[in-house]
Amino acid sequence: MATVLNNSDLTLKEKAKKALGVNPEDAKISKSYLSVAFISLFLGGLFGLFQGLNRAGLLELPSWLNYYQVLTAHGLLLVVVFSAFVTIGYFYAALSHDLGGLLSKVRRMAWVGFWTKMVGIVLVVIPVLMNEASVMYTFYPPMAAHPVFYIGLALVVVGIWILAAGAFIQIANWRKKNKGQHLPILSFFAMGVFVLLVGATSFVAVEVLFLILPWSLGWVDGINVMVSRTLFWAFGHTAVNIWYLTATSAWYVIIPKIIGGKRFSDTLTRVVVVALVIMNITGGFHHQIIDPGIGLSVKFLHVFMSLAIGFPSLMTAYAMFSVFERNGRAKGGKGALGWLKKLPWGDVRFLSPFIAMAAFIPAGAGGIAQTTNQLDQVVHNTMWVVGHFHLTLGMAVVMTFFGIMYWLIPHLTGRVLTKGMNRLGIIQTIIWTIGMVIMAITMHWVGLLGSPRRTSFTDYFGSAQAAGWEPFMMVIGIGATLLLVGVVIQVYAVFNMMFFAPKGVTEFPVAEEEENASKTPMWTERWGLWIVLMVLVVAMAYVLPLTDMIVNAPPGSPPFKTW
Ligand code: HEM
Ligand SMILES: [Cu+2]
């Protein structure tokens, strides 16, 4: 009897340690990733403000810093550096927490990956600073940057592969030791995210290594522009969706715990992850709806595939609001909407990701408009699109990431979230929300009036139509200014929590399943099968169009420097 008690005592203690403790060596890895992420947010945000003010006609950039240079840096710093580094820092923390600490081999790989990425980023940044790579983050040929820019990008990809390999080794090791068990839920998300990262970056690696680098070095004369754009978007579209999947993991797993509730169906959560992994990469063509040289049937297939990923998103929306309603009612909320009042609105760890989720509703609706051929004709390459991805990325993803920081950083550093910091976080959340809503709605609107994206200030030789955009641009400038205030507060909050917050213990908040939840079927763990299916779906979507573009290739294009 005594031993039984002792045993359960021990597991309790173990459980407590598991929930609270953090391996300091592993924490260092995540802290490094997050530090780089938030320095990038600061610089990227500053550049965003320059863009907003320039387009409002309020800021003339100095001759040594041109608009497209700034825009390239803004896109790269925020989409490629900030989002990726938060994702990696967060999931490596989750793997360490879920799977009993990182293996020392995996820890070493995480550092090698880190430094590979850092060297890559430096190599990307140097030509951008020298105005030798103002090709924007999409680096579409035939615009050509200095070869060093592409070598840097290749290293960034290699860094990702090393990190993904580390995650796979960690997970495989755990599975070997825990046969017949489900991978803990956040690690399941991590598995999906790293599989997608490898899938997505394979395309851009082929693009950079086999098409662009030899061409930019002058070894070959021409480049197949269509093939490179197609490879880019198989990557670019997936990358953005990976950041979204990362945010989704916090919605399913973390937020229920923060509001004191339980997770929604474990089976459904895993099915959503698997569905997103299998179907994601094929959405790429929806960025090329207006591109010539792609047959209607292929475009139609991709519209279908794009809408197909809308489906798991709708399941997510349903699941989240179901969790909120049950939780609010359990706390005594009455009537149709009374449960809403019971949610912890004063807790930044909830408020910020909640607004993020709410923003995804109009953001997703705009996305459905854009993925429709006829509607995209109206908004393509206008400011509408910029408004769209500031809602999806700048709100839905980024605000979730911000919300995560208020527990993840104290957890990693052995500190606590103080009342004062929570209050500052709420203020930050409100400023960011107002700024992004003002900026994004105005961008959508002025886009409908025809204002193009990726264009520095011009009055188009006194055109009356262009003059009509100017008041909107002023409003965008106001939104951008508020956002920079938000950036400054957020970066301050992150580094304050990292180095100065009071010492203490902060848990890694992973919600439990409902007591009466049905058992999740083991087939959800068949990652080999999911990867094969992913490859099949990708092949179905890409083999024919790519073959067609290669076999019936137009003459290749020489490199151009348009700036
Ligand atoms: C201080 C906050 C921000 C401001 C003021 C801002 C402002 C802007 C503006 C005005 C543009 C349009 C430039 C043009 O098309 O001519 C732009 C583009 C863009 N922004 Fe932001 N932004 C901010 C934050 C973010 C965040 C957090 C993300 C993503 C994580 C993001 C991602 C992008 C991307 C991908 C582009 C497109 C770049 C391109 O066309 O090459 N921005 N931003
Ligand atoms: Cu996309």
Side-chain angles (χ1 to χ4, degrees):
M1 188 67 197
T3 42
V4 174
L5 267 178
N6 261 346
N7 265 345
S8 63
D9 220 51
L10 215 140
T11 46
L12 245 179
K13 247 190 230 153
E14 259 176 17
K15 264 190 190 161
K17 191 164 164 264
K18 213 176 144 228
L20 300 174
V22 58
N23 178 321
E25 289 293 307
D26 298 356
K28 227 182 268 170
I29 294 170
S30 293
K31 282 189 287 187
S32 304
Y33 279 95
L34 298 176
S35 301
V36 173
F38 281 87
I39 293 168
S40 304
L41 176 74
F42 177 72
L43 293 173
L46 196 63
F47 290 150
L49 178 67
F50 292 171
Q51 288 153 211
L53 295 182
N54 173 278
R55 296 204 55 158
L58 297 174
L59 172 77
E60 201 170 323
L61 289 166
S63 59
W64 46 268
L65 188 67
N66 86 58
Y67 187 82
Y68 302 97
Q69 212 176 343
V70 171
L71 191 57
T72 304
H74 179 75
L76 285 171
L77 282 167
L78 292 167
V79 186
V80 179
V81 185
F82 170 73
S83 312
F85 275 64
V86 171
T87 296
I88 295 164
Y90 164 76
F91 276 124
Y92 261 76
L95 289 172
S96 163
H97 173 76
D98 273 357
L99 309 180
L102 298 178
L103 304 168
S104 56
K105 180 172 34 170
V106 171
R107 213 177 284 140
R108 269 199 305 277
M109 292 173 79
W111 282 118
V112 176
F114 179 81
W115 288 112
T116 310
K117 277 175 82 71
M118 292 304 288
V119 171
I121 290 167
V122 169
L123 292 187
V124 168
V125 164
I126 293 170
V128 173
L129 286 179
M130 292 169 64
N131 200 20
E132 288 292 331
S134 300
V135 288
M136 294 169 278
Y137 80 103
T138 43
F139 54 93
Y140 291 144
M143 265 199 294
H146 193 282
V148 168
F149 176 84
Y150 304 113
I151 295 171
L153 288 178
L155 281 179
V156 169
V157 169
V158 172
I160 297 243
W161 289 347
I162 296 171
L163 285 152
F168 297 150
I169 290 174
Q170 181 76 28
I171 288 169
N173 177 277
W174 185 91
R175 280 168 57 127
K176 210 159 60 196
K177 290 196 186 134
N178 296 272
K179 285 230 158 60
Q181 284 193 48
H182 283 284
L183 198 57
I185 186 69
L186 268 185
S187 299
F188 193 89
F189 271 98
M191 181 73 194
V193 158
F194 282 109
V195 166
L196 274 176
L197 272 171
V198 173
T201 49
S202 306
F203 286 90
V204 81
V206 171
E207 183 198 3
V208 167
L209 292 178
F210 297 114
L211 291 173
I212 298 187
L213 250 185
W215 169 77
S216 73
L217 287 165
W219 298 346
V220 293
D221 297 335
I223 194 163
N224 189 326
V225 169
M226 270 164 27
V227 170
S228 40
R229 287 171 70 90
T230 303
L231 293 174
F232 177 83
W233 278 116
F235 155 76
H237 163 77
T238 311
V240 189
N241 279 259
I242 293 169
W243 316 147
Y244 167 67
L245 182 56
T246 306
T248 312
S249 77
W251 302 350
Y252 274 106
V253 181
I254 310 290
I255 296 179
K257 176 76 174 185
I258 283 170
I259 65 177
K262 299 277 180 192
R263 283 204 275 130
F264 194 80
S265 155
D266 185 69
T267 311
L268 178 125
T269 312
R270 288 176 201 253
V271 168
V272 165
V273 175
V274 170
L276 285 173
V277 168
I278 294 175
M279 298 191 294
N280 232 318
I281 299 180
T282 51
F285 271 102
H286 67 207
H287 296 263
Q288 294 168 270
I289 292 178
I290 310 294
D291 276 22
I294 300 171
L296 213 55
S297 55
V298 172
K299 286 184 179 173
F300 191 80
L301 174 72
H302 282 268
V303 171
F304 177 78
M305 290 309 297
S306 307
L307 293 177
I309 18 180
F311 188 69
S313 296
L314 288 174
M315 299 209 291
T316 302
Y318 175 82
M320 293 324 300
F321 279 88
S322 158
V323 167
F324 295 152
E325 179 174 356
R326 270 194 252 177
N327 182 256
R329 289 199 191 284
K331 290 179 185 155
K334 296 269 175 321
L337 292 173
W339 51 269
L340 267 174
K341 284 200 220 120
K342 299 284 176 189
L343 296 171
W345 298 109
D347 185 340
V348 64
R349 299 168 309 159
F350 168 73
L351 182 69
S352 192
F354 180 89
I355 296 175
M357 277 183 235
F360 201 73
I361 299 170
I368 291 175
Q370 279 154 226
T371 208
T372 311
N373 197 346
Q374 288 80 346
L375 297 181
D376 195 48
Q377 311 280 335
V378 180
V379 296
H380 183 74
N381 269 346
T382 69
M383 286 301 280
W384 162 289
V385 177
V386 186
H388 166 74
F389 57 62
H390 282 87
L391 282 186
T392 47
L393 265 182
M395 281 190 93
V397 171
V398 168
M399 290 184 81
T400 305
F401 286 1
F402 289 174
I404 290 173
M405 291 310 128
Y406 292 96
W407 56 264
L408 180 57
I409 293 184
H411 167 78
L412 292 171
T413 53
R415 296 175 190 273
V416 289
L417 174 64
T418 60
K419 274 213 172 85
M421 183 53 74
N422 182 57
R423 200 171 322 119
L424 188 68
I426 299 271
I427 295 170
Q428 197 281 342
T429 305
I430 293 167
I431 294 177
W432 190 271
T433 305
I434 297 174
M436 237 357 143
V437 166
I438 290 179
M439 187 169 94
I441 290 182
T442 317
M443 283 171 164
H444 276 90
W445 195 324
V446 76
L448 285 176
L449 301 179
S451 172
R453 69 182 282 205
R454 291 182 156 178
T455 309
S456 69
F457 179 78
T458 164
D459 69 355
Y460 295 89
F461 307 107
S463 139
Q465 188 185 4
W469 303 329
E470 275 170 28
F472 293 91
M473 290 302 176
M474 286 288 173
V475 179
I476 289 174
I478 295 171
T481 309
L482 278 174
L483 281 167
L484 193 76
V485 176
V487 165
V488 170
I489 299 177
Q490 184 62 39
V491 173
Y492 165 79
V494 162
F495 287 104
N496 183 284
M497 289 186 289
M498 200 161 314
F499 298 112
F500 305 112
K503 293 273 182 194
V505 177
T506 298
E507 71 162 348
F508 196 118
V510 175
E512 308 266 317
E513 283 183 74
E514 302 261 4
E515 283 93 25
N516 56 358
S518 58
K519 213 173 141 5
T520 306
M522 272 323 280
W523 55 255
T524 50
E525 297 292 328
R526 300 192 57 186
W527 274 102
L529 178 63
W530 308 142
I531 293 169
V532 169
L533 282 176
M534 174 182 101
V535 172
L536 280 178
V537 172
V538 168
M540 172 191 88
Y542 280 100
V543 169
L544 278 180
L546 275 174
T547 312
D548 181 45
M549 285 175 196
I550 292 166
V551 173
N552 301 311
S557 172
F560 285 94
K561 190 173 168 189
T562 50
W563 65 93

